[in-house]
Structures are given as C-alpha cells and as structure tokens.
Amino acid sequence: MGRSLTMPPRGLPPCRMALLGMLLGLLASCFTFCLSHQNPQFALTSPEKSGIKEAERKETTAEEELDSEVLEVFHPTHEWQALQPGQAVPVGSHVRLNLQTGAREVKLQEEDKSRSNLKALKKGKRLDINTNTYTSQDLKSALAKFKEGAEVESSKEDKARQAKVKRLFRPIEELKKDFEELNVVIETDMQIMVRLINKFNSSSSSLEEKIAALFDLEYYVHQMDNAQDLLSFGGLQVVINGLNSTEPLVKEYAAFVLGAAFSSNPKVQVEAIEGGALQKLLVILATDQPLPAKKKVLFALCSLLRHFPYAQQQFLKLGGLQVLRSLVQVKGTEVLAVRVVTLLYDLVTEKMFAEEEAELTQETSPEKLQQYRQVHLLPGLREQGWCEITAHLLALPEHDSREKVLQTLNALLATCRDRYRQDPQLSSTLANLQAEYQALATLELQDGEDEGYFRELLGSINSLLKELR
C-alpha cells in the first residue's frame, strides 16, 4: 500500500510526529480554501501590463466602431500630441503609447518637414522660407543676368559659325571680282539664253556662230522653266522664224531647239501654235530638204502634237497626214517611216486612254476629252491609206522597227480589219515572221529565258493572225 500524506515517517518520536501531522493538515486546508475563493486582484499579472491590454482592447473596439465612418485626419506637429479616437494618422508619423496615461501620442518625423511644407502649400499657407534671403527684385535681376549670359553665349556661337563659313566659302562679291579680273562673267540661265538669242538673231553673226548659239540654247530649254522664260523675252518666236531660213543647218538646229522646248510643256506648245510653228514644220517636211533636217523637224512635230489635242486638230486640218504619207513613201526614208508610225501609234492610243480615263472617273464631259473627241484621226488614217502603208512597213528588216509596226497594226485593227484581210502581202509577211520568231523564241527558251523579246513579238503576230481569220 502507498503511504498517505498524513502518515508520519518512521523512526520519529511520537511527539514530533503528532506536530508534523497537524502542520500538514493546516496547509492542505488553506490551499483548498484559496482555490475555491480566487480573487482577480491577486492574479499573477503586472498591473501595468494589464492596463495596456485593457487600453488596447478599448482602442480596438473604438476603431471597429469607426471603421465604417469617415475618419478625421490628424495633423501632427514636431511635439507629442494625444491622438483622439476617430482620428487618422498620416503615413510616416511617429506613434507611441504612453504607458502612464494609456493614450496614443503622435508627432512628425524630422525628415518630414518638407512634406509638412507641401501640405501647408496645398492648404494655402505660407511655406517656412526665410524671406529675408532673396527679394523679388533680386530674382528679377538674376534672371536678367542669366538671359544676358545666354545671349552672349549664343552670339559667340553665331560668330564662331560665321567665321567657319567664311573660311570655307568666299563671298559672291569677291568671286565676281576675281572672275572680272579673269574676264569671266557669272550669268543666270535667263541672261545666257538672251545672249544666245541675240547672237543667233544678229545679222553680223556667221553661220557657224548661229549654229553654235542654237546648239547651246537647246541644252537650256530642256528645263521647263527655261523654256517658258524663252517666251518672256520673245526668244521662242525668233527660233520659230529660223525655220524660214534658206540654210538647211539653221532649219535643222532651230527645229532641234523647238523640239526640246515643246516636250511636255503645254504653255510653250500653245505659244508655238499661235506663232505659226506647225505650218512651218509641215512645209519643211513637204519640200525637198536634207534627211538630217527632216529628222529634227519630225522630232519637233512629234513634240508639238503629243498630249495637245488642239494641235492634233490643226494638224489634220492642214493636211498633216498627207504630208507624212508622202514622207514615208520616198525611197531611203525608212528611218523617218518608223518614226512616223510610232507617232501615229502614240496619237491613237493617247485618245483611247483619254476616253478610258473619263469612263473610270465618270466624267462625262471633261474639257480635254471633248478636245480629243474633235480629233478624227482614225477615219483620216483609213481614208489616207494608212492601213496599207503600215502593213507594208512590216517588211522592214530591223526587229525594233517590226515591233513598232506590229504595235500600230494592232492599234488600227478595229479601223483597218477589212483592209488587212484584203491584203495578201500582209498575210504572207505575217506567216513568214511567225516562222522566224518561233525559231528565235525556241532558242530563247533553250537559253533559259522565260520571257524573251522574241516571244513577245511572236505573241503579237499570233494575236494579229487570230483576229484576221
């Protein structure tokens, strides 16, 4: 059996054992009484810590009650201030709990002074600035000096840049002086053209000087602005009048200048028609003249007619087709014949493109289209026998010439179909060319040329033969 707490240990005297038993019984009674009557004030906790926990519990409850409300923003200073319930603490503030009072206290951090100034500025308060340091007049004076310094710096940079430019380039006045010493005069294009026209028109100039003046003038009038400037001082009319010269060379080079000036220059083209250039060009082509002169005159005529329907109308009225027909039928003028055929092809397709453009843009009566519709070129070509003339030119030996003739034959197909079918020589020529170009196209394929020149010519011949069957 185990021992009881009240049993005295063995070996003690009876009197001591009785006294020890009484003490143990008293302690057990006191312990039982204390447990059954426990008082909170005798808890084993610090009164100070208990107060802290109670304060925190109250603050938590107050925050929970104010959680759904709009909190009042607390503006701390550099001194500790008590934070009241319902007040929000700005971010970055120092917060402490006063253990003596149980209240939270707040103050600004030292580095937040600039933030406090910013908040004060937003509220309309003055910042903490030492106003005795700078006055408004001082600031204005400093700004003026700053601008003055910038202008001085900019002026220095400009002067340096100007000095650099002066070192690289010389002024025009100095260059003129140097050229004058060398007997060289700087002239504008206008001044040069005036001088050349005067040289050409002078009765004291020799034939060589006149030809040289025209040759140089042709170089300048290629530029559109220069060609129009030629009108301003009457130079164009002087060159047109040169077509009346008895010297073939003067006619040749005058036409050379006019062809360059007319090219894609409507203003000059109009002035040329009014100045009688078209009549003079046709007269030279219709009379006996050297072949070089007729080449240049035909060049001027083509430049005048292209993209100028009014000039084309006048060309037909003046019998231009008859003049060209006579020109190509003269023996030894095959070069001129190819150029004439090319001109006719350009005029036919030009009118065709104008009508197609009007259809695409849905313009029923544009002025330029109305002018083209007054050019009755295709009927004139049929009446003047150009169907047969063009077909006979297909016998020319050069491939380039044949290509241009084939293009013109296809362009005239709608007008000349029956004439082509009635011409046995055309059918024979086309058959011979078909065989020739078939062999050349085969050689192109063997050489690895997928789209060769001869294949294109063969395609044009096959297309024309198909239309004539």
Side-chain angles (χ1 to χ4, degrees):
M1 294 182 61
R3 294 181 179 178
S4 172
L5 291 175
T6 58
M7 293 180 62
R10 298 177 181 180
L12 291 177
C15 59
R16 288 188 179 183
M17 292 177 62
L19 181 60
L20 179 60
M22 293 176 62
L23 288 173
L24 291 173
L26 181 61
L27 287 172
S29 300
C30 291
F31 183 75
T32 303
F33 179 81
C34 290
L35 289 175
S36 61
H37 295 82
Q38 184 176 1
N39 194 322
Q41 65 180 351
F42 295 108
L44 297 177
T45 57
S46 171
E48 183 178 22
K49 293 181 179 180
S50 178
I52 293 173
K53 290 183 179 180
E54 182 66 16
E56 292 176 351
R57 185 182 64 79
K58 292 180 180 179
E59 290 168 357
T60 302
T61 304
E63 289 174 356
E64 291 176 353
E65 294 175 353
L66 295 172
D67 189 34
S68 60
E69 301 178 3
V70 179
L71 300 180
E72 177 187 355
V73 179
F74 179 79
H75 299 287
T77 64
H78 294 282
E79 300 295 335
W80 289 107
Q81 298 183 42
L83 182 67
Q84 301 299 324
Q87 290 183 327
V89 180
V91 178
S93 302
H94 275 309
V95 181
R96 75 176 182 180
L97 181 64
N98 193 328
L99 297 179
Q100 296 179 354
T101 62
R104 286 194 299 177
E105 297 179 347
V106 184
K107 77 170 184 177
L108 287 175
Q109 297 184 20
E110 293 299 328
E111 62 270 20
D112 289 341
K113 186 174 180 180
S114 60
R115 298 181 182 178
S116 178
N117 287 337
L118 181 59
K119 291 180 179 178
L121 178 62
K122 292 180 178 178
K123 291 185 176 182
K125 299 180 180 180
R126 293 177 60 89
L127 296 178
D128 185 14
I129 298 176
N130 185 358
T131 56
N132 295 326
T133 304
Y134 298 106
T135 64
S136 60
Q137 187 62 34
D138 293 338
L139 294 175
K140 291 180 180 179
S141 177
L143 181 61
K145 291 181 179 179
F146 174 77
K147 290 182 177 180
E148 182 180 355
E151 292 177 356
V152 171
E153 186 68 22
S154 177
S155 178
K156 291 180 179 179
E157 292 179 357
D158 291 341
K159 290 181 179 179
R161 190 181 301 107
Q162 292 175 3
K164 183 178 180 180
V165 171
K166 287 182 178 179
R167 290 194 301 269
L168 295 175
F169 305 100
R170 298 175 60 188
I172 188 64
E173 291 78 10
E174 294 183 7
L175 293 175
K176 286 183 177 180
K177 290 180 180 179
D178 292 344
F179 283 130
E180 288 177 358
E181 293 177 358
L182 296 172
N183 293 324
V184 177
V185 180
I186 298 178
E187 296 176 299
T188 63
D189 287 356
M190 171 74 87
Q191 292 172 333
I192 293 173
M193 290 191 298
V194 170
R195 177 172 55 80
L196 293 175
I197 287 294
N198 291 334
K199 174 67 70 173
F200 169 71
N201 201 34
S202 175
S203 58
S204 60
S205 298
S206 63
L207 177 61
E208 290 75 12
E209 290 175 336
K210 290 185 177 183
I211 300 304
L214 290 173
F215 183 83
D216 292 341
L217 185 62
E218 188 271 341
Y219 168 79
Y220 288 97
V221 297
H222 271 289
Q223 187 175 346
M224 182 177 292
D225 293 341
N226 287 341
Q228 294 179 3
D229 289 339
L230 193 66
L231 303 175
S232 61
F233 60 91
L236 182 67
Q237 191 60 51
V238 172
V239 179
I240 291 175
N241 293 337
L243 296 174
N244 296 327
S245 175
T246 57
E247 293 289 343
L249 280 177
V250 173
K251 294 178 180 179
E252 176 183 347
Y253 282 91
F256 191 38
V257 173
L258 293 175
F262 296 159
S263 182
S264 301
N265 204 329
K267 187 176 181 180
V268 179
Q269 288 175 321
V270 171
E271 293 292 333
I273 287 291
E274 295 179 353
L278 179 59
Q279 294 90 329
K280 292 179 172 57
L281 292 173
L282 291 176
V283 168
I284 296 175
L285 292 176
T287 56
D288 187 16
Q289 301 290 338
L291 184 60
K294 289 193 174 183
K295 285 182 179 179
K296 294 295 191 299
V297 171
L298 184 59
F299 162 66
L301 179 65
C302 294
S303 298
L304 181 59
L305 296 181
R306 285 190 175 99
H307 306 291
F308 191 13
Y310 177 75
Q312 296 172 21
Q313 296 175 34
Q314 300 301 313
F315 168 77
L316 295 176
K317 290 179 180 179
L318 294 173
L321 289 179
Q322 294 92 323
V323 172
L324 295 182
R325 184 183 61 182
S326 302
L327 183 65
V328 300
Q329 289 178 337
V330 176
K331 189 176 181 179
T333 60
E334 289 79 6
V335 176
L336 298 181
V338 174
R339 296 184 182 185
V340 169
V341 168
T342 304
L343 172 63
L344 297 179
Y345 171 79
D346 291 342
L347 298 182
V348 171
T349 55
E350 183 181 308
K351 180 180 180 180
M352 187 185 306
F353 291 152
E355 293 176 349
E356 292 178 356
E357 183 180 0
E359 292 179 1
L360 292 175
T361 57
Q362 296 182 350
E363 294 182 2
T364 57
S365 59
E367 181 180 354
K368 193 169 187 179
L369 179 60
Q370 293 299 321
Q371 293 180 2
Y372 275 115
R373 286 176 176 171
Q374 296 176 14
V375 179
H376 305 293
L377 179 61
L378 290 175
L381 291 173
R382 181 182 174 88
E383 293 173 2
Q384 297 293 327
W386 281 98
C387 299
E388 294 79 8
I389 293 173
T390 307
H392 295 165
L393 291 174
L394 195 58
L396 292 173
E398 295 83 9
H399 297 302
D400 182 64
S401 301
R402 293 173 182 175
E403 179 186 11
K404 292 181 172 58
V405 174
L406 282 171
Q407 290 176 343
T408 308
L409 287 173
N410 281 287
L412 298 177
L413 183 61
T415 302
C416 301
R417 188 188 304 271
D418 58 336
R419 300 288 180 92
Y420 292 164
R421 288 174 176 174
Q422 297 171 4
D423 189 349
Q425 183 179 353
L426 176 60
S427 299
S428 176
T429 303
L430 287 174
N432 293 333
L433 291 178
Q434 184 182 38
E436 179 182 351
Y437 287 119
Q438 181 66 57
L440 293 173
T442 302
L443 292 176
E444 284 182 336
L445 287 175
Q446 293 175 357
D447 293 337
E449 298 181 16
D450 295 335
E451 296 181 359
Y453 174 73
F454 295 116
R455 291 186 64 187
E456 292 182 1
L457 290 180
L458 180 61
S460 298
I461 293 172
N462 292 336
S463 176
L464 189 58
L465 284 172
K466 183 178 179 180
E467 292 291 336
L468 296 180
R469 288 172 185 168

